[in-house]
Amino acid sequence: MRTPHATTTDPGAGPTPLRRAIGPKLLVLLVVGDILGTGVYAVSGKVAGKVGGALWLPFAIGFVIAVLTAASYVELVGKYPKAAGAALYTQKAFRIPFVTFLVAFMVMCSGLASASAAARAFGGDYLRTFADLPPTLVAVVFVLALAALNLRGVAESVKANVVLTVVEVSGLLIVIGIGVYAVLTGDGEPARLVRLDTGGTGFAALTGVLGATALAFFAFLGFEDSVNMAEETRHPGRDFPRAIFIGVGVTGTVYVLVALVSSLLVDHRKLAGSSAPLLEVVRAGGVSFPPQLFALMALFAVTNSALINLMMASRLCYGMANERILPRAVARVLPVRRTPVVGIALTTALALGLVLTGEIEGLGDTTAFLLLCVFAVVNVAVLVLRRDRVPHRHFRTPTALPVLGAAGALVLAGPLADRAAEVYVRAAVLLAVGIALWGLNKLVLRRQGE
């Protein structure tokens, strides 16, 4: 007897303990909502501080790298529609459990760092438009509230994502509309758009642009989270290619337009000094748009980003437990809600730890660095796994794309990207924690006789 959603049109949609509640439209909104959010609303000012008036350039380069890697994810999620994402692909490609664990741990930490950056952003300048509250306390309460929503169920979480996505897209369209109005009325300084201010020339300018691109890439992260929802998608093989490419295409276009408007209306030094850069753009646009309303929309945006990252991290824990990378108990689900309760509890605790020890820019740059390393592995994995045939049809990306994607990810993750030393230190500490957890897990498995 077939399950309701395991149809012959999508052989990848087989039985799963999780509820297949995500259709094609919800999946597109999930991808768009996950990519949009904290990056452009809170970090774009710091990108301007690295590159100057040509703020659009890092976002355009980041868009290209995102498309290359997204193509690899589309092929792999269609081929292996399971919840573990990059960890599953790494294990199937290289068969080295230790490497698989480190990749999974980096993905999970990147999602939690992103959610923690969003939590910090929630308590920043956007919230101060309404009230001056202790940012750390706000961030902690924020994470706990989203954990409760995540625990309630994927359908409720994704429906909340729909509402939040509409709000955050509306906020960015308002910024773009203000920019159009400014151009039509002769406001703004178009000359800023071609000014590079990286603190040097030649090689120094190149590293400055790469550093700005690496930080801007944080704004594109999110499409990789969606593959961890494969077991809760009705037709993963059919719906994921369309959803990921539409999501990356829409967000990339919006980001470049927002970056153009931001530089057109506000000097890059002023953008760099604000944790609410788009609010500065709204105030400078010459349009009578209530700043408080835009700040509220920005708060919705960072909420959405945090919610989807927490959802991803908990599903990743669930997938790793099913693959025996984590103890089987981590795969436990609530009988009625059918949500991964242990995974949610574990990832919430880790997110709270990051909230208490990091700030927005550092957490955002750490997120991007960890995922760039993972993206390099995934782009290589898609080529290695070409030898593994599956019985169902799936998307196949042109071979040149993962090759270019791996090279681009390595360049942005490497020392040429003018990145603060603290990012590497934080990543090293996280990897050390991962290695310790790996050893602990091995001891647990031995005691269980496995």
Side-chain angles (χ1 to χ4, degrees):
M1 180 176 177
R2 292 186 308 179
T3 59
H5 303 301
T7 66
T8 56
T9 60
D10 193 348
T16 170
L18 302 179
R19 178 171 293 148
R20 292 195 181 275
I22 304 174
K25 294 179 181 178
L26 281 179
L27 187 59
V28 170
L29 288 170
L30 182 72
V31 175
V32 171
D34 197 7
I35 299 175
L36 293 177
T38 306
V40 70
Y41 275 95
V43 181
S44 57
K46 304 305 179 185
V47 177
K50 286 177 173 285
V51 79
L55 177 59
W56 59 271
L57 182 59
F59 284 99
I61 299 172
F63 173 55
V64 173
I65 301 298
V67 169
L68 295 174
T69 301
S72 293
Y73 271 94
V74 167
E75 176 171 337
L76 291 169
V77 74
K79 199 171 185 179
Y80 312 108
K82 300 294 182 182
L88 174 66
Y89 313 146
T90 302
Q91 178 62 20
K92 286 186 174 293
F94 306 111
R95 304 288 179 180
I96 304 175
F98 180 67
V99 174
T100 300
F101 180 81
L102 286 181
V103 167
F105 187 77
M106 284 193 289
V107 171
M108 186 177 72
C109 286
S110 69
L112 295 175
S114 180
S116 301
R120 280 291 189 178
F122 189 91
D125 288 345
Y126 288 117
L127 183 62
R128 289 193 188 98
T129 305
F130 304 98
D132 190 4
L133 299 174
T136 301
L137 177 61
V138 170
V140 168
V141 173
F142 177 81
V143 170
L144 292 175
L146 292 185
L149 179 58
N150 192 6
L151 188 63
R152 180 167 175 79
V154 66
E156 289 78 4
S157 297
V158 173
K159 288 174 183 175
N161 166 259
V162 172
V163 176
L164 296 173
T165 297
V166 170
V167 172
E168 67 186 349
V169 170
S170 299
L172 296 177
L173 291 179
I174 287 168
V175 172
I176 294 171
I178 288 173
V180 172
Y181 175 81
V183 170
L184 293 177
T185 57
D187 290 335
E189 295 186 25
R192 288 197 194 112
L193 302 180
V194 293
R195 290 178 187 163
L196 280 176
D197 186 3
T198 59
T201 59
F203 184 74
L206 174 63
T207 58
V209 171
L210 290 176
T213 301
L215 182 57
F217 198 73
F218 172 59
F220 287 97
L221 303 179
F223 64 86
E224 78 288 345
D225 292 349
S226 64
V227 302
N228 291 291
M229 310 301 292
E231 290 188 56
E232 293 165 280
T233 302
R234 292 172 188 166
H235 304 287
R238 184 192 70 189
D239 294 340
F240 265 101
R242 183 185 313 143
I244 290 180
F245 285 130
I246 289 176
V248 174
V250 167
T251 54
T253 302
V254 169
Y255 282 168
V256 172
L257 291 174
V258 168
L260 287 168
V261 169
S262 298
S263 288
L264 183 70
L265 296 179
V266 183
D267 182 83
H268 72 276
R269 290 177 289 263
K270 188 171 184 178
L271 290 173
S274 174
S275 64
L278 298 191
L279 188 58
E280 300 293 342
V281 176
V282 171
R283 287 170 173 161
V287 177
S288 297
F289 191 88
Q292 291 85 356
L293 178 57
F294 186 84
L296 182 62
M297 299 173 90
L299 292 175
F300 277 123
V302 297
T303 298
N304 199 34
S305 180
L307 172 62
I308 302 303
N309 275 287
L310 289 174
M311 288 172 60
M312 176 279 295
S314 61
R315 270 61 180 185
L316 179 55
C317 281
Y318 166 84
M320 285 193 292
N322 279 337
E323 292 292 321
R324 311 303 290 160
I325 300 172
L326 289 178
R328 184 69 177 174
V330 178
R332 187 174 302 160
V333 300
L334 285 178
V336 177
R337 305 307 306 179
R338 294 171 68 184
T339 51
V341 58
V342 178
I344 291 172
L346 176 61
T347 53
T348 299
L350 291 173
L352 290 173
L354 285 169
V355 161
L356 295 172
T357 57
E359 298 296 335
I360 298 172
E361 184 176 358
L363 290 170
D365 210 354
T366 302
T367 302
F369 171 71
L370 289 170
L371 275 185
L372 284 166
C373 295
V374 171
F375 287 173
V377 174
V378 169
N379 280 305
V380 173
V382 75
L383 298 175
V384 173
L385 288 170
R386 291 280 169 84
R387 65 193 178 194
D388 183 25
R389 305 288 181 177
V390 294
H392 57 273
R393 297 180 62 184
H394 60 86
F395 174 86
R396 181 183 171 100
T397 183
T399 301
L401 299 190
V403 172
L404 294 173
L410 287 173
V411 169
L412 292 182
L416 286 179
D418 186 25
R419 183 178 284 111
E422 68 178 76
V423 173
Y424 295 108
V425 172
R426 184 180 292 110
V429 171
L430 289 172
L431 286 177
V433 172
I435 293 171
L437 289 175
W438 167 260
L440 178 62
N441 182 58
K442 293 291 286 184
L443 290 176
V444 171
L445 291 176
R446 275 183 195 165
R447 290 185 179 180
Q448 293 175 346
E450 299 183 22

